[in-house]
């Protein structure tokens, strides 16, 4: 073997000698050598298929050792990442890309030569591609990075290939800490479940457990060629496109689109299984049994249920706009900003140019034209990049917008964001990376235009590219939001808990941060603008790792106190405004 990677020796004896002398104790140097070797061989056209395959299989073991070591340097760290951590994340990504590319070339050359024994090489290569792609997809989502263009199209092509040759049930010994034999079909289902996870919501140890337990969850997942029900637990993906699985494809009519090859991922039984496990668990138990001697935590199962059972969906047609909005992120920041007295932006009362007024943003949704949404079709390639929900992970070619400085308000601040598009149920915003201290999916956000009022939403997806603004899809929960506090009505002295009060079609909604106790059907005191009322928390609307939302009812029927009677109009306005 020569000292230059430009002439990497792929003879079996040379590969064995090189692997035996890898400096495994030095993660950085080992990662560099693995990357350079794979990149060089992938660029050569004359490398025999068998030798290329042998090299990739030999690299699998050291790659499995160093990938977790690289991952721990940025896993669970606040976004945006520092430059040093970003470089480590890029190296992790490039190692996986080179391994996937190598196996893709092995498949292409094996089928082209059509020699004896090619099926074993192809099935193993497909199995490895699905496994490494699962890690890559998870890494993209953890960093909120856009998917590599063409990635999903390539994965679908490989799936169609093994389906054509009846190789889906072929079993291959996998990689990982405990190598087990799994079929290609199972590995593809794992990949799809990977793509629906939000890894940043898990602690590193929790994410490791989730990945180890995927073989349990995948047993309750089914891929169908036809859709038989109308529930919201079926994802769909079209094999001729470059789009990830999403609920928007549920609107594809196979009768009208017979040329579109659609597959449906039904996870309804999986969600039922997770709920059953949680219901049967002992209250307060730290470890919950999953079967096969596996354990998980209540928090981990809750995140899985939220990820897989509550996907981001777009409600109505998207409208492209260019507007400005003020954004506060997190319950504490929202509570502080709204309570600070800045209920109107002073600049909104100053005369401005016509261009500035046209560029203003109000989150009030314009009325839908009757019949405008009578039929939904698969988004075309022209507008799919801007789709607010289902094509969230594609980076557009539009230049990054310029920003104004964020306004600091004592401890918390709000950011000046740009609104990119809007639909009936939410909107897409772009935030400057240098102004965001911490952000994640499921975080509550308050948003308002210059002339509008604060409205409450939730981050359902994000894209955090290496450079440029962070884009986030916001699902709107309440047209109005008020800062509030709650106290237990049991007489126990405790500090009030900051929360947010909103309203939906069913009535008042209370948005709470993560709480150690379950307050369902518990009588508590709600404090808004210094006034107190007794309430009871009713049904939970949703629960995420960041917080929860609950429908509430007012239980006090006593008359207004004499102190409040003098300010009856002000008292009534507090509650009437909601």
């Amino acid at each position: 073997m020569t000292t230059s990677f430009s002439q990497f020796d792929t003879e079996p004896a040379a590969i064995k000698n090189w692997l035996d002398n890898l400096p495994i104790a030095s993660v950085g140097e080992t990662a560099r050598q693995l990357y350079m070797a794979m990149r060089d061989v992938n660029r050569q056209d004359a490398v025999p298929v068998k030798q290329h395959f042998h090299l990739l299989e030999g690299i699998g073991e050291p790659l499995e050792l160093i990938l977790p070591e690289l991952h721990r340097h940025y896993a669970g760290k606040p976004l945006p990442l520092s430059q040093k951590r970003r470089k480590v994340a890029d190296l992790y990504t490039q190692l996986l890309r080179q391994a996937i590319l190598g196996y893709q070339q092995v498949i292409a050359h094996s089928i082209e030569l059509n020699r004896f024994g090619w099926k074993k090489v192809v099935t193993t290569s497909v199995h490895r591609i699905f496994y490494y792609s699962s890690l890559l997809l998870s890494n993209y989502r953890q960093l909120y990075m856009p998917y590599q263009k063409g990635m999903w199209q390539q994965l679908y092509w490989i799936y169609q290939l093994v389906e054509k040759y009846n190789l889906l049930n072929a079993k291959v010994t996998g990689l990982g800490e405990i190598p087990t034999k799994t079929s290609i079909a199972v590995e593809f289902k794992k990949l799809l479940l990977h793509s629906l996870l939000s890894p940043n919501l898990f602690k590193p140890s929790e994410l490791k457990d989730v990945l180890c337990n995927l073989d349990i969850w995948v047993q309750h997942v089914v891929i169908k060629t036809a859709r038989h029900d109308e529930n919201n637990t079926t994802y769909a993906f079209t094999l001729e496109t470059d789009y990830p699985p999403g609920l928007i494809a549920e609107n594809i009519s196979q009768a009208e689109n017979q040329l579109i090859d659609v597959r449906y991922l039904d996870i309804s039984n999986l969600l039922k299984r997770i709920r059953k496990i949680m219901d049967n668990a002992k209250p307060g138990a730290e470890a919950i049994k999953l079967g096969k001697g596996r354990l998980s935590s209540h928090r981990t199962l809750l995140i899985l249920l939220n990820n897989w059972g509550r996907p981001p969906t777009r409600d109505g047609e998207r409208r492209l706009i260019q507007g400005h909005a003020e954004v506060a992120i997190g319950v504490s920041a929202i509570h502080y900003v709204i309570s600070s007295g800045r209920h109107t932006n002073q600049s909104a009362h100053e005369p401005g140019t016509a261009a500035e007024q046209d560029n203003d943003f109000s989150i009030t949704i314009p009325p839908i034209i009757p019949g405008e949404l009578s039929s939904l079709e698969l988004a075309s390639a022209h507008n799919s990049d801007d789709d607010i929900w289902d094509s969230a992970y594609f980076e557009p070619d539009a230049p990054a917008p310029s920003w104004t400085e964020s306004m600091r308000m004592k401890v918390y601040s709000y950011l000046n964001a740009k609104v990119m598009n809007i639909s009936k149920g939410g909107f897409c915003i772009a935030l400057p990376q240098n102004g965001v201290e911490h952000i994640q999916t499921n975080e509550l956000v308050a948003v308002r235009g210059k002339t509008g009022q604060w409205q409450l939403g939730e981050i359902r997806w994000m894209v955090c590219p290496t450079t440029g603004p962070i884009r986030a899809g916001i699902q709107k929960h309440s047209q109005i939001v008020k800062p509030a506090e709650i106290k237990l009505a049991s007489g126990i002295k405790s500090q009030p808990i900051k929360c947010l009060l909103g309203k939906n079609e069913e009535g008042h909604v209370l948005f709470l941060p993560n709480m150690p106790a379950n307050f369902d059907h518990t009588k508590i005191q709600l404090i808004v603008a210094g006034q107190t009322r007794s309430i009871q928390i009713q049904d939970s609307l949703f629960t995420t790792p960041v917080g929860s939302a609950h429908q509430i009812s007012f239980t006090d029927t006593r008359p207004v106190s004499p102190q409040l009677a003098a300010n009856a109009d002000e008292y009534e306005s507090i509650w009437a405004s909601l």
Side-chain angles (χ1 to χ4, degrees):
M1 179 182 299
T2 64
T3 57
S4 174
F5 279 111
S6 61
Q7 297 295 328
F8 191 89
D9 191 347
T10 58
E11 290 295 329
I15 291 175
K16 183 179 184 304
N17 182 60
W18 175 72
L19 290 171
D20 290 341
N21 289 280
L22 279 174
I24 298 297
S26 174
V27 174
E29 178 60 22
T30 301
R32 186 189 72 84
Q33 290 194 30
L34 292 178
Y35 170 74
M36 296 294 290
M38 288 189 290
R39 187 187 67 169
D40 178 67
V41 175
N42 289 341
R43 289 178 174 180
Q44 297 181 31
D45 296 327
V47 177
V49 174
K50 189 174 181 180
Q51 292 182 9
H52 197 172
F53 177 74
H54 181 69
L55 171 66
L56 293 170
E57 286 294 283
I59 284 176
E61 184 176 349
L63 195 59
E64 281 293 300
L65 293 175
I66 67 167
L67 284 177
E69 293 299 316
L70 295 174
H71 189 255
R72 70 181 181 85
H73 282 282
Y74 60 90
K77 300 299 187 291
L79 294 176
L81 292 176
S82 65
Q83 185 177 3
K84 184 177 181 180
R85 289 191 175 121
R86 173 68 72 176
K87 288 182 178 179
V88 177
D90 289 341
L91 178 58
Y92 181 96
T93 300
Q94 291 302 325
L95 285 169
L96 290 174
R97 282 183 178 178
Q98 290 298 325
I100 293 169
L101 177 60
Y103 280 114
Q104 287 175 346
Q105 293 179 356
V106 168
I107 292 174
H109 294 155
S110 297
I111 296 176
E112 181 181 341
L113 296 174
N114 198 18
R115 291 179 177 174
F116 177 77
W118 69 272
K119 285 188 177 181
K120 182 178 180 180
V121 173
V122 169
T123 53
T124 303
S125 298
V126 170
H127 198 276
R128 300 289 187 260
I129 288 175
F130 287 164
Y131 172 75
Y132 286 134
S133 295
S134 295
L135 299 180
L136 187 57
L137 289 171
S138 180
N139 197 55
Y140 280 142
R141 291 180 67 88
Q142 185 166 23
L143 300 176
Y144 298 112
M145 292 176 61
Y147 292 141
Q148 184 183 13
K149 188 169 292 186
M151 180 178 183
W152 279 103
Q153 191 172 30
Q154 189 70 28
L155 290 172
Y156 294 152
W157 178 84
I158 294 173
Y159 178 79
Q160 287 178 297
L161 176 71
V162 293
E163 188 180 51
K164 174 183 176 182
Y165 287 102
N166 297 317
L167 298 175
L168 284 174
N169 294 323
K171 291 189 175 182
V172 177
T173 301
L175 302 173
E177 294 183 4
I178 306 177
T180 56
K181 276 194 172 184
T182 57
S183 68
I184 291 177
V186 166
E187 209 62 32
F188 185 69
K189 291 177 185 178
K190 287 183 181 180
L191 182 149
L192 296 178
L193 289 180
H194 259 286
S195 71
L196 302 176
L197 283 175
S198 294
N200 61 292
L201 297 178
F202 298 94
K203 299 175 183 176
S205 59
E206 293 173 338
L207 181 60
K208 182 179 179 180
D209 290 340
V210 169
L211 302 185
C212 291
N213 292 329
L214 273 181
D215 60 323
I216 294 178
W217 304 130
V218 80
Q219 298 175 24
H220 307 283
V221 173
V222 180
I223 296 179
K224 302 177 180 178
T225 56
R227 186 163 174 246
H228 302 291
D229 49 27
E230 296 295 330
N231 58 48
N232 288 326
T233 57
T234 301
Y235 294 82
F237 51 95
T238 52
L239 299 181
E240 287 81 14
T241 68
D242 194 28
Y243 304 133
L247 295 183
I248 193 172
E250 290 180 354
N251 297 303
I252 297 175
S253 171
Q254 289 182 311
E256 298 176 359
N257 300 276
Q258 296 180 1
L259 298 179
I260 298 179
D261 196 358
V262 185
R263 295 291 187 276
Y264 297 94
L265 180 70
D266 187 354
I267 63 170
S268 55
N269 291 331
L270 171 60
L271 300 179
K272 291 177 183 177
R273 177 60 181 167
I274 295 177
R275 292 191 185 99
K276 184 177 180 180
I277 291 174
M278 295 178 69
D279 292 340
N280 294 338
K282 295 181 180 179
E286 294 184 4
I288 299 177
K289 295 182 179 180
L290 303 180
K292 296 184 178 181
R294 311 284 184 83
L295 298 175
S296 186
S297 66
H298 183 274
R299 181 179 183 275
T300 299
L301 295 178
L302 180 63
I303 297 175
L304 289 177
L305 201 61
N306 182 68
N307 270 194
W308 290 333
R310 193 170 164 262
T313 55
R314 176 166 54 85
D315 183 9
E317 184 186 36
R318 179 193 68 257
R319 293 174 177 81
L320 298 179
I321 65 172
Q322 288 292 329
H324 299 275
E326 296 168 346
V327 179
I329 304 173
V331 172
S332 297
I334 295 171
H335 199 283
Y336 181 87
V337 169
I338 298 179
S339 302
S340 66
R342 288 186 57 86
H343 295 295
T344 57
N345 193 322
Q346 294 179 0
S347 61
H349 301 287
E350 299 174 0
T353 63
E356 290 174 341
Q357 294 173 358
D358 291 340
N359 209 26
D360 190 19
F361 168 63
S362 175
I363 310 175
T364 304
I365 310 300
I368 304 295
I369 301 174
E372 188 177 8
L373 302 178
S374 58
S375 62
L376 288 176
E377 299 178 355
L378 183 65
S380 65
H382 176 71
N383 67 0
S384 61
D385 287 352
D386 296 318
D387 195 296
I388 186 170
W389 301 122
D390 302 281
S391 296
Y393 299 98
F394 291 91
E395 188 169 7
D397 297 326
S402 58
W403 302 102
T404 58
E405 290 293 328
S406 61
M407 298 183 180
R408 296 288 172 181
M409 302 183 66
K410 296 182 181 178
V411 178
Y412 298 103
S413 64
Y414 66 79
L415 296 168
N416 289 324
K418 286 199 172 183
V419 183
M420 311 306 294
N421 55 54
I422 189 169
S423 69
K424 183 180 178 182
F427 37 90
C428 175
I429 61 174
L431 296 163
Q433 287 204 29
N434 58 1
V436 178
E437 296 179 0
H438 178 73
I439 189 171
Q440 65 179 23
T441 52
N442 297 130
E443 195 86 75
L444 288 176
V445 293
V447 185
R448 73 170 179 181
K450 291 181 180 179
T451 58
Q453 60 187 357
W454 288 106
Q455 301 179 48
L456 193 66
E458 176 192 358
I459 299 176
R460 298 308 308 276
W461 61 260
M462 280 176 29
V463 177
C464 186
T466 306
T467 59
I470 298 172
R471 297 197 316 281
I474 310 297
Q475 182 177 1
K476 190 172 65 176
H477 288 317
S478 178
Q479 193 77 15
I480 187 171
V481 59
K482 297 286 184 181
E485 295 177 335
I486 60 171
K487 293 180 66 176
L488 295 178
S490 59
I492 301 176
K493 291 185 178 180
S494 62
Q495 289 292 330
I497 300 171
K498 288 182 172 59
C499 57
L500 302 169
L501 184 64
K503 192 173 185 181
N504 61 11
E505 295 178 354
E506 303 297 326
H508 295 84
V509 181
L510 196 64
F511 297 88
L512 298 172
N514 259 333
M515 307 293 291
N518 185 359
F519 287 157
D520 287 356
H521 305 287
T522 301
K523 290 183 179 180
I524 59 177
Q525 298 289 329
L526 175 66
I527 306 170
V528 179
Q531 312 301 333
T532 303
R533 290 192 64 176
S534 296
I535 65 169
Q536 187 172 33
I537 294 182
Q538 302 294 332
D539 298 331
S540 174
L541 299 180
F542 64 82
T543 302
T544 74
V546 179
S548 58
H550 305 263
Q551 209 78 46
I552 65 171
S553 61
F554 294 98
T555 59
D556 56 347
T557 56
R558 64 181 184 277
V560 179
S561 63
Q563 291 84 355
L564 295 178
N567 300 315
D569 293 339
E570 180 181 353
Y571 176 79
E572 289 297 331
S573 67
I574 294 172
W575 307 104
S577 65
L578 292 170

